[in-house]
Amino acid sequence: MGLAASVLIGIVTLTTWATTWSDWYSFRTVERYGDDPDRLAEADLFSGSLGIVSGIALFAAAAVFIVWLWRVRWNAEMFCRGEHRFTRGWVLGSWICPVVNLWYPKQVVDDIVAASDPQTPPHTESLRDLPGTRLVWAWWLTWVVGLVSGNIVQRGVLAGATTVGELRTNVILSTISALSTSAAAVLAVQLIARIDDLQTNRPWVPWWSVDQAQQGFQPPAR
């Protein structure tokens, strides 16, 4: 699942740049041939077609990534007793709930990384107090920049931006979004590999079985 998610993330990056190219193409077309309906229609066709392809790729990548994240969350709960900041349902919910989706997913991943790390004791009480990693921080900051700038571009498109000035603003933001999203994609692939490596290298023993006789712990009732 991690490999599939990484491949799809790479495809999304390519479609993001294709969409950015179409935004620039539309801008140049309006700038040079604003009175030519045929050229404007051609630019709209490019933009709409690439937008559909990009949306399909993004949906596929998101679905596979969430499935992978759900599975590594299950593993993390087995490796370490530490309490996660959010229940398992937030593995999906953190991405689709407005406003909190700007920081909840990062905290979900932070807890998974902490619980998966072989250096984290199995009987750690809470994961929220463990320091986060620079990789997660870098991935999340670049993702948020790309997300916010991309949403501004989409609002401009939905609002019917047609003047040269409006389109110029859109293509600049679209380029910023593509750069940030590309950086986030590279870091996401590294993060997937990092978590997979941590979970592979950690002894495959449930936390309640580690020193159970001495500690007196019971398995979780889940």
Side-chain angles (χ1 to χ4, degrees):
M1 294 303 297
L3 177 60
S6 298
V7 170
L8 288 169
I9 288 171
I11 293 174
V12 169
T13 304
L14 294 177
T15 60
T16 298
W17 279 107
T19 303
T20 300
W21 171 84
S22 74
D23 291 340
W24 278 100
Y25 183 78
S26 297
F27 166 65
R28 294 300 185 192
T29 300
V30 172
E31 187 179 42
R32 297 176 183 175
Y33 312 104
D35 297 329
D36 188 335
D38 291 336
R39 288 186 177 272
L40 294 176
E42 181 184 56
D44 288 341
L45 178 62
F46 277 131
S47 179
S49 300
L50 289 174
I52 293 172
V53 173
S54 180
I56 293 173
L58 181 60
F59 178 81
V64 174
F65 180 80
I66 292 297
V67 172
W68 168 81
L69 195 62
W70 184 278
R71 293 178 67 175
V72 294
R73 168 62 185 262
W74 267 96
N75 293 343
E77 292 181 6
M78 186 204 72
F79 286 130
C80 182
R81 181 194 185 199
E83 181 181 0
H84 292 250
R85 273 169 277 198
F86 305 107
T87 60
R88 202 177 298 128
W90 281 103
V91 170
L92 171 61
S94 63
W95 293 92
I96 60 178
C97 290
V99 183
V100 297
N101 62 358
L102 294 177
W103 71 90
Y104 272 27
K106 175 191 175 295
Q107 294 179 333
V108 169
V109 174
D110 273 332
D111 290 345
I112 291 173
V113 171
S116 302
D117 193 336
Q119 297 182 6
T120 303
H123 295 299
T124 298
E125 293 289 338
S126 177
L127 300 171
R128 71 170 57 241
D129 298 327
L130 299 179
T133 65
R134 287 178 292 181
L135 177 58
V136 176
W137 268 110
W139 160 68
W140 190 246
L141 288 176
T142 52
W143 167 254
V144 169
V145 171
L147 177 67
V148 172
S149 54
N151 283 343
I152 294 175
V153 171
Q154 290 300 319
R155 288 183 180 181
V157 172
L158 293 175
T162 54
T163 67
V164 173
E166 291 172 337
L167 291 173
R168 181 183 292 109
T169 301
N170 270 9
V171 295
I172 291 173
L173 289 173
S174 180
T175 304
I176 293 173
S177 178
L179 289 169
S180 299
T181 302
S182 298
V186 172
L187 293 167
V189 170
Q190 295 179 5
L191 180 62
I192 290 171
R194 175 70 183 279
I195 293 176
D196 283 349
D197 285 344
L198 289 174
Q199 295 197 347
T200 300
N201 293 326
R202 182 153 189 160
W204 200 256
V205 179
W207 64 262
W208 57 87
S209 297
V210 178
D211 299 327
Q212 183 177 358
Q214 291 80 11
Q215 300 292 339
F217 288 115
Q218 297 296 322
R222 304 192 189 194

